[in-house]
Amino acid sequence: MSHDMKYPRGVSAGPSRSAVRRERFEIAVVAHVAVLVLLASWWLGGNTQSARLALSLWGSLGFVLTAIGIFARRSLRTDLQPLRWLWPFGLFATMVAISAFNPSYREVLNDHQTLYVESQSVPGWPSTARPVHSLLTLWFFSAAYLSAFNLLVFVRHRRYLRALVFTLVANGLVLAIFGTLQKLMNAPSTFFGLGPPIQPKFFASFLYHNHWGAFTLLMTALALGAIYHFARRSHARNIWHSPVLGGVVAILFLAATVPLSASRSSTILMIVLVAVGFVHWLRNVIKTRRAAGVSAAPAVAGGVFAAISVIGFSLYIAQPVIEQRFTQTLQQIEEARSETSLNFRLILYRDTWNTAREKLWFGWGMGSYPTVFFTRNTQRFASPDGLQVHFHDAHSDWLQSAAEVGLVGTFLLGLCALVPLAAARAPSLAPLVAYPFFGCGLVVFYACLEFPFGNRAVICAWWATFFAGLQYARIRAREGAAPRSRETTA
């Protein structure tokens, strides 16, 4: 057969080897991120030393994928422009690495215990109380961030991003069902009592209910984006024969678990998120019905009835937990009004800010908050039983960040998200862009009053959600600016 022989008209030669190689690489990048989030969510939220090591090792494969993508950029036809947006991360990592060579505490062994005693560090330079711990914390953060950033660099097909969304939402749904069964069966700890009995406020595989709440906010936001995407795109006869129904069921289960987990703050944020989604649905129904010349009243009434039924069912399931937390809330409000009552949270914030002010620019070192704050905690003996009160977290990620990495490090952390967002210049109101960004924004706001980013599963899920949404917007913008080809279509 001659090499010049042409294929008959209408007969396709199939995808080229380079196209197949590119798609396989995209699948590898997406699968790597999905496994990272799934592993973190099921391994006690990633909040054990063994989980941190495993996540850091698995996340480090992202470095390998980045190197492969850069090395094979011509055959993969990769646009490496997003790599220039990594300069805030580079500066932040450099700052933390420098701090490891300027310790502000020294280790002292006392009866087989390791004590940390404050010592003099070089003033004006980044320092850390625990150099090795800071480097290990940086390792995990780098692995999680760069793995998710690979979505921005190497994924060119929206269908793979949607597959990532479906995987994460399905995983969240399974966790929600799992956690609900545990709660209804009064399991003493995670995995029906097989997990470590660290404290009673757990849910599903998460050791702390507020961490579950933040994770669920992200998963619900992804589910909302998915159902509105398919509501506009699906050609099914009705909702019962489309993927929308599965998304609605996932949202109902996810949203119902937040009050069931006894997370008050997360419940309020979940109400805001679901209310926005419900108003969006009402707006679409009214607009569609009016365009068709049909009354929207029956559909709106049905939707409102369904929403009330779901809320009533959720309140019924979570009634004992809600009543307990409501009584506790009233008691805390009454204690806060009392002159003799100590407002633990406000004093904690004040002490944390005073700690941050001592090293305002570069902080005490990444991951060093528990060590440094131990001697600066004015509430150490404020408990009714006279025992020491020790805070591992500041219950405000932003304040804790200021204490650990200073104003400079906190600013660079913010730029790790803001620089790609601004540089991408890909605004989009598509559901799979707007809802993930909204969910990420709610968690960032939540971090002012709690510590969602003290959970490694939330960290992995947040960056995966953020960069998946951003890349989805970039692909849509590129497709809108150029003729659609088979390599860039959905």
Side-chain angles (χ1 to χ4, degrees), residues 128-143:
T128 179
R130 301 178 62 183
V132 175
H133 186 68
S134 293
L135 292 177
L136 289 175
T137 306
L138 175 64
W139 179 23
F140 166 75
F141 174 75
S142 303

Side-chain angles (χ1 to χ4, degrees), residues 410-428:
T410 302
F411 181 66
L412 290 174
L413 280 175
L415 290 182
C416 285
L418 293 177
V419 167
L421 182 63
R425 296 180 181 179
S428 175

Side-chain angles (χ1 to χ4, degrees), residues 180-352:
T180 301
L181 292 175
Q182 283 188 145
K183 205 71 174 180
L184 296 179
M185 296 175 65
N186 295 317
S189 63
T190 54
F191 295 99
F192 295 98
L194 298 177
I198 296 179
Q199 53 96 14
K201 295 181 179 179
F202 69 92
F203 193 85
S205 58
F206 285 67
L207 298 178
Y208 188 50
H209 61 318
N210 284 338
H211 291 159
W212 166 255
F215 183 82
T216 308
L217 282 171
L218 294 172
M219 298 304 103
T220 305
L222 290 175
L224 281 168
I227 65 171
Y228 280 113
H229 169 82
F230 279 104
R232 297 195 307 175
R233 304 275 181 157
S234 178
H235 300 290
R237 297 196 305 270
N238 51 50
I239 189 175
W240 307 106
H241 297 83
S242 75
V244 175
L245 179 61
V248 172
V249 171
I251 291 172
L252 296 181
F253 268 99
L254 287 167
T257 60
V258 179
L260 186 61
S261 70
S263 177
R264 293 170 294 184
S265 49
S266 298
T267 299
I268 295 174
L269 295 178
M270 180 61 75
I271 291 173
V272 172
L273 176 60
V274 174
V276 169
F278 186 69
V279 171
H280 185 186
W281 175 81
L282 285 178
R283 175 180 173 274
N284 287 350
V285 166
I286 294 174
K287 182 179 179 180
T288 303
R289 294 274 178 156
R290 285 180 176 176
V294 181
S295 174
V300 172
V304 172
F305 175 77
I308 294 175
S309 300
V310 170
I311 293 173
F313 178 74
S314 301
L315 292 177
Y316 174 76
I317 292 294
Q319 181 180 359
V321 177
I322 293 174
E323 289 178 352
Q324 178 186 2
R325 297 296 281 175
F326 182 73
T327 303
Q328 183 180 356
T329 301
L330 293 179
Q331 184 179 8
Q332 290 174 344
I333 293 174
E334 191 63 30
E335 290 177 354
R337 292 176 177 175
S338 158
E339 293 182 0
T340 60
S341 172
L342 289 176
N343 195 323
F344 285 91
R345 186 62 66 90
L346 292 180
I347 297 175
L348 174 60
Y349 290 164
R350 183 198 65 190
D351 291 345
T352 301

